[in-house]
Amino acid sequence: MKQIWTAAILASLASAAAAEVTVDNCGTPLTFDATPERLIVHDMNMTEMAFALGLQDKIVGLTGITGWYKTSPTFDEARGDIPELAPKYPTVENLLAAEPDMFFAGWYYGMRPGGEVTPDTLEPFGIKTMVLTESCVHQHEGRPEASMNLLFDDVMRLGQVMGVEDKAKGLVDGWEAQLSAIEAKTSGVDQPRVFLLDGPADAPFTAGKFAIPDAMIDAAGGASVTSDLDTSWGRTSWEAVAAANPEFLVLLDYQTGNGAEDTFKFLQEHPVMSGIDAVKNEAWIGLRYEELTPGPANITAIEKMAKAMHPELF
Amino acid sequence: MNRYALGLGIGAVSLTALIVLSVLYGTTRIPVGDVLSAIATGLGLGGEPGPMDRIVFDLRLPRAVFSAVIGAGLGIVGVVLQTTTRNDLADPFLFGLSSGAAAGAVFVITVTGDVLGIWTLPLAAFSGGIVASLIVLTLVQSLRNAAPEKLILAGLAVSFLFAAITNYLIFSGDSRAAHSIVFWMLGGLGLARWQSLPLVLAGLALILAYATYRRRWLDALLAGDRTAKSLGVPVTRLRMTMFLMAALATAAFVSVAGVIGFVGLMVPHLARGLAGPLHTRLLPTAALIGAALLTASDILSRVILAPQELPVGIVTTSVGAIFVFALLIGGRKTAR
């Protein structure tokens, strides 16, 4: 019992000492005078970051979860009774009613440029917005190309701001170790050409050089055929994809209908795509939204991809 | 006069009721008592405002005022444009205004980002609308006679040009930006704040004051250009000035609320049915109907899908269209 008290006192001292925290927010500093007590998180991927850090008791609401996805039992269990304030994008009123002091979201992850909810429109209400680093590219020029730091840095930033930096550091160290183990196996082997597809469409919607799947495919020992696409998520053409002749496909599984299976059938019937190696050899994997947007699920997704691309190594 | 005064009175009462409802209802449930105390707090009569107080005083109240002001403004702009072009289908957005404003906004969303902070998008939309209108005016002015058909044709051409620019920007930019743009092009009052109130008030004041001041000239235009000229009305100059005023006012509205369809097109017709064609009565009637229509639509847009919010343009268009169906059917019966 005594030990618990000592730990509690030490912890409170530590949080008092670390009261003022400044983190990078799309290239501008974001300063907190005190640790936020009431947090709202948008979208599955960012919510899973917060859950991984054990921040449930500080989260007063979630937004943008059930409007788009089916949640997994693990997610529901971690979520407990945290309310969802809006199933899709929130309004300022939705947020303000929960009395938050911080909102964790991104551009096109809960916020639209020039829209109702932006860091600028929330600021007058005393709500600070932490912007998902992957999404900074929508508002700021000259962002670095995607790397796994998109995940690591955001978990570290969230950890620093919420006063759980050690936990964040532990998570990131663990993930880095997992990734180096994968890299050790895949280094030196041929990297298959990989193409990521969002779903059936007249023009393929995929991840460009600023989106995290670009770094994930790399970490799994593959080479994305759209890594020169100068956008985060965007459209390319079937011609360009077919010309690159991908050997492996990553298909986004929205868990509607038969999910990624439907997308693969679409490709098998597509006049051009049916002829590429990946479709002929049925070399593909379906991954969920939260596995392909910055979040803790990235790591297991990389492992799944690596195993599917290089079955002989695992 | 008495029936007209009574009508205006009823209109004013309904509008007030709608504004009250607009403050009472939103995407969050707030009890009536709390709403009243929030307003008192906002006026400085209570203590430190809490989040609920701020929702009521800093989000809902300006929003209600905005919907009334913008609705009234769009109604008047519609009257002015339909009279000056002598075309029943003229509306503020037929003259390249909306596509110009949209192009400005899309340019910010896809290319520059919020470089000037919170005012970037309104400023870009405003400038886009004004640039498009100036092109229309220059086009028409370079012709020898500014006939109303020419004004509409020039407006359409400019409208298509800016729509092409917008679509190019959407297509070349990040695909996800398209969602943001669609939302903006359907209009919404979510950005209503006290700070931007002077802008929309100025827009309304400008068009209301000028149209009221020139109401006799507008009446004369109804009898045709030649009659108006014989009555001493400088027809071409009036047409151009009115168009410019309408453009300035609309650009101010669009810059904060996006492109809200239907109000400017249909409200003048509804108003004419109630007040007749002469502008002394037509202008206030159109303003009242426009204000009531937009305020009611905004309430619906927040309630239908709560806690999500619909773009208000979807509501104004559908509510308005149903209203016009009813009017057409009712009108046919009385005609028989």
Side-chain angles (χ1 to χ4, degrees), chain B residues 36-115:
Chain B
L36 294 178
S37 75
I39 294 171
T41 313
L43 294 172
L45 301 174
E48 191 64 21
M52 290 302 164
D53 299 329
R54 300 206 63 183
I55 287 180
V56 172
F57 196 78
D58 291 331
L59 294 179
R60 288 191 189 171
L61 212 52
R63 191 172 176 144
V65 175
F66 267 60
S67 60
V69 169
I70 293 177
L74 287 174
I76 294 174
V77 169
V79 167
V80 165
L81 289 177
Q82 288 181 7
T83 301
T84 50
T85 59
R86 285 194 285 132
N87 186 321
D88 277 356
L89 293 179
D91 93 328
F93 301 121
L94 194 63
F95 298 96
L97 257 169
S98 70
S99 51
V106 171
F107 188 74
V108 166
I109 293 172
T110 57
V111 183
T112 63
D114 288 354
V115 280

Side-chain angles (χ1 to χ4, degrees), chain A residues 158-236:
Chain A
L158 190 60
Q160 282 164 354
V161 167
M162 301 305 292
V164 287
E165 198 176 349
D166 292 345
K167 195 156 188 177
K169 185 89 180 53
L171 282 174
V172 172
D173 286 348
W175 292 335
E176 281 179 330
Q178 273 177 280
L179 292 188
S180 356
I182 294 170
E183 204 192 333
K185 287 187 184 165
T186 59
S187 71
V189 298
D190 275 347
Q191 295 190 327
R193 297 180 300 274
V194 181
F195 176 62
L196 179 143
L197 180 62
D198 175 73
D202 57 338
F205 189 67
T206 187
K209 66 177 173 192
F210 298 112
I212 202 163
D214 192 61
M216 292 172 62
I217 291 168
D218 194 51
S224 168
V225 297
T226 52
S227 61
D228 54 349
L229 200 64
D230 195 15
T231 182
S232 67
W233 290 82
R235 282 189 199 286
T236 173

Side-chain angles (χ1 to χ4, degrees), chain A residues 197 248-254 258-261 263-264 283-289 291-292 301 304-305 308:
Chain A
L197 180 62
F248 187 83
L249 298 169
V250 178
L251 306 177
L252 224 137
D253 184 358
Y254 281 105
N258 293 318
E261 190 78 48
T263 309
F264 186 70
W284 61 278
I285 188 172
L287 291 174
R288 291 190 315 278
Y289 175 87
E291 293 179 306
L292 289 170
K304 284 188 206 170
M305 274 197 274

Side-chain angles (χ1 to χ4, degrees), chain B:
Chain B
M1 189 66 201
N2 277 336
R3 251 189 78 199
Y4 170 72
L6 186 69
L8 271 194
I10 293 173
V13 171
S14 338
L15 178 61
T16 316
L18 282 171
I19 290 176
V20 171
L21 280 179
S22 176
V23 178
L24 289 181
Y25 287 95
T27 44
T28 308
R29 263 176 200 284
I30 303 179
V32 180
D34 293 1
V35 170
L36 294 178
S37 75
I39 294 171
T41 313
L43 294 172
L45 301 174
E48 191 64 21
M52 290 302 164
D53 299 329
R54 300 206 63 183
I55 287 180
V56 172
F57 196 78
D58 291 331
L59 294 179
R60 288 191 189 171
L61 212 52
R63 191 172 176 144
V65 175
F66 267 60
S67 60
V69 169
I70 293 177
L74 287 174
I76 294 174
V77 169
V79 167
V80 165
L81 289 177
Q82 288 181 7
T83 301
T84 50
T85 59
R86 285 194 285 132
N87 186 321
D88 277 356
L89 293 179
D91 93 328
F93 301 121
L94 194 63
F95 298 96
L97 257 169
S98 70
S99 51
V106 171
F107 188 74
V108 166
I109 293 172
T110 57
V111 183
T112 63
D114 288 354
V115 280
L116 303 173
I118 199 164
W119 290 100
T120 323
L121 198 96
L123 205 67
F126 187 84
S127 328
I130 293 299
V131 167
S133 316
L134 287 179
I135 296 177
V136 174
L137 273 186
T138 325
L139 267 178
V140 174
Q141 209 117 56
S142 64
L143 301 170
R144 236 180 307 135
N145 64 334
E149 317 82 74
K150 292 276 163 33
L151 190 56
I152 289 181
L153 205 58
L156 270 178
V158 170
S159 193
F160 277 113
L161 176 69
F162 275 91
I165 295 174
T166 307
N167 289 331
Y168 172 78
L169 286 172
I170 293 177
F171 211 80
S172 62
D174 192 292
S175 318
R176 288 202 233 184
H179 295 286
S180 163
I181 292 148
V182 165
F183 195 84
W184 193 83
M185 279 165 69
L186 289 171
L189 291 152
L191 284 174
R193 298 287 183 276
W194 291 122
Q195 299 96 291
S196 37
L197 185 62
L199 180 67
V200 287
L201 271 183
L204 174 65
L206 181 76
I207 192 70
L208 182 62
Y210 192 68
T212 311
Y213 174 57
R214 290 295 186 211
R215 62 190 185 281
R216 301 278 176 225
W217 284 9
L218 288 172
D219 288 345
L221 269 187
L222 292 174
D225 280 16
R226 290 174 84 178
T227 319
K229 269 181 201 151
S230 71
L231 289 170
V233 177
V235 173
T236 306
R237 212 186 71 209
L238 175 65
R239 192 163 277 145
M240 290 303 154
T241 329
M242 276 296 175
F243 180 70
L244 195 65
M245 296 293 167
L248 280 170
T250 313
F253 304 147
V254 170
S255 68
V256 287
V259 180
I260 300 173
F262 202 86
V263 180
L265 179 65
M266 290 326 286
V267 164
H269 296 284
L270 303 176
R272 253 178 246 124
L274 295 171
L278 295 182
H279 290 81
T280 312
R281 288 180 176 194
L282 183 56
L283 290 170
T285 312
L288 259 183
I289 297 178
L293 178 65
L294 191 55
T295 311
S297 301
D298 184 49
I299 298 173
L300 282 179
S301 79
R302 283 178 287 165
V303 177
I304 293 174
L305 274 187
Q308 299 295 139
E309 220 169 79
L310 270 180
V312 74
I314 296 178
V315 184
T316 52
T317 325
S318 44
V319 168
I322 292 165
F323 200 36
V324 172
F325 290 158
L327 205 73
L328 283 173
I329 293 165
R332 201 182 54 193
K333 275 181 191 150
T334 48
R336 275 176 191 171

